[in-house]
Amino acid sequence: MRVLMVGDVVGKPGRQLTLELVPRLTAEYAVDFVIVNGENAAGGVGITPDIADVMLQGGIDVVTLGNHAWGKREIFPYLDEEPRLLRPANYPPGVPGQGYGIYSCAAGLVGVVSLQGRTFMDPVDDPFRAIDRILETLRRKTAVICVDFHGEATSEKQAFAWYVDGRVSVVAGTHTHIQTADERILTEGTAYLTDLGMTGPIDSVIGMRCDIVIPRFTSLLPARFEVADGEAQLCAALIDIDDISGHATAIRRVQVPGHVVNRSYS
Ligand SMILES: [Fe+2]
Ligand SMILES: [Fe+2]
């Protein structure tokens, strides 16, 4: 089974490029299942029901989120209704939505888990203990399990990947918006990439306008970020998984430049 995992989609430039490229990549690389991180899809922060609908109708099987899951309040009831939209599983009990699920595609059943790190981030519940609980459920149904680990620290992501090595098919990091070059298959068969990178405007600071972000560093005054314009790029990874063992057989990084997108963002 071949899975495409796409890094954080930022604003309209990221959405447009994702909707254009996902069907093309799916056909070109015979992809069976597509997972996209959409935590920055709506104006750079959060996701709305309309945007989630368009993504899920556009060839994406599951949309994962992260610390910005809660950026748009209108998504709260949607999270409870739509199992293909996942927020991180390790939030306190009772928050809207779910953090993992099992989905079927032509190649078989796929488990998907969204988790959030705790290092240099808000102190969510323990993602290590959370995955142990989740795997008790998922591994009864399928060996193919894909984890989006949404975290800031490379060390936490690596430690998590080794912790679940051989128990999940792939751990792909999100959140930093910068793709790392460390893709590999760990010793027990889990494919790993510290960060998938961002799908959004290239001439930017992690997707946001440089002329707004730079003064925030130089003046320390608060500023409202805006999604940048210009050419966008899709960052992703292709993972080949043996659907019987659940172990990965290959992982390849993907970076596809897009077109210049006109300004008028939402
Ligand atoms: Fe993000
Ligand atoms: Fe994030």
Side-chain angles (χ1 to χ4, degrees):
M1 180 182 309
R2 178 167 286 171
V3 176
L4 175 70
M5 295 182 78
V6 179
D8 304 37
V9 172
V10 177
K12 195 169 181 180
R15 298 199 309 268
Q16 285 184 341
L17 192 61
T18 302
L19 292 170
E20 184 191 317
L21 288 181
V22 162
R24 227 195 281 172
L25 292 169
T26 299
E28 192 175 331
Y29 293 101
V31 171
D32 296 298
F33 198 83
V34 181
I35 303 164
V36 175
N37 187 295
E39 72 147 8
N40 308 105
V45 178
I47 190 167
T48 63
D50 286 351
I51 289 173
D53 278 342
V54 170
M55 291 176 82
L56 291 169
Q57 287 160 15
I60 295 164
D61 296 291
V62 172
V63 175
T64 51
L65 298 170
N67 56 307
H68 291 306
W70 324 103
K72 302 279 183 278
R73 284 195 73 85
E74 58 267 40
I75 204 65
F76 286 22
Y78 186 100
L79 274 166
D80 280 329
E81 291 157 16
E82 177 51 79
R84 295 175 298 166
L85 180 65
L86 296 177
R87 45 81 174 163
N90 52 329
Y91 271 78
V95 302
Q98 44 275 308
Y100 63 95
I102 294 176
Y103 310 90
S104 68
C105 68
L109 292 176
V110 184
V112 181
V113 184
S114 166
L115 285 166
Q116 187 173 313
R118 300 191 289 185
T119 306
F120 312 130
M121 301 186 80
D122 288 339
V124 287
D125 290 351
D126 183 350
F128 293 80
R129 234 173 300 178
I131 193 70
D132 288 340
R133 275 197 307 271
I134 292 165
L135 290 181
E136 280 174 25
T137 308
L138 289 188
R139 285 179 62 85
R140 277 188 221 127
K141 302 264 174 61
T142 179
V144 177
I145 297 168
C146 304
V147 180
D148 172 348
F149 192 95
H150 195 80
E152 182 76 32
T154 50
S155 58
E156 187 181 22
K157 291 170 167 177
Q158 271 195 336
F160 179 86
W162 285 112
Y163 183 70
V164 294
D165 185 20
R167 296 192 288 154
V168 310
S169 308
V170 54
V171 175
T174 56
H175 178 70
T176 71
H177 292 203
I178 303 296
Q179 187 176 79
T180 56
D182 60 336
E183 74 279 14
R184 62 169 289 192
I185 297 173
L186 303 180
T187 52
E188 301 299 323
T190 294
Y192 174 64
L193 176 63
T194 297
D195 208 294
L196 290 166
M198 172 191 74
T199 299
I202 297 168
D203 292 335
S204 70
V205 178
I206 61 170
M208 300 296 152
R209 278 174 49 179
C210 299
D211 62 333
I212 300 177
V213 176
I214 292 168
R216 172 128 160 208
F217 282 99
T218 55
S219 72
L220 303 182
L221 295 173
R224 207 182 137 85
F225 291 159
E226 278 179 43
V227 175
D229 52 8
E231 190 181 357
Q233 175 175 261
L234 176 138
C235 288
L238 284 165
I239 306 101
D240 292 347
I241 299 163
D242 179 298
D243 30 301
I244 305 299
S245 69
H247 292 165
T249 54
I251 176 167
R252 178 173 8 159
R253 280 184 294 125
V254 177
Q255 287 190 3
V256 190
H259 315 289
V260 174
V261 183
N262 291 326
R263 260 202 96 119
S264 63
Y265 302 135
S266 55

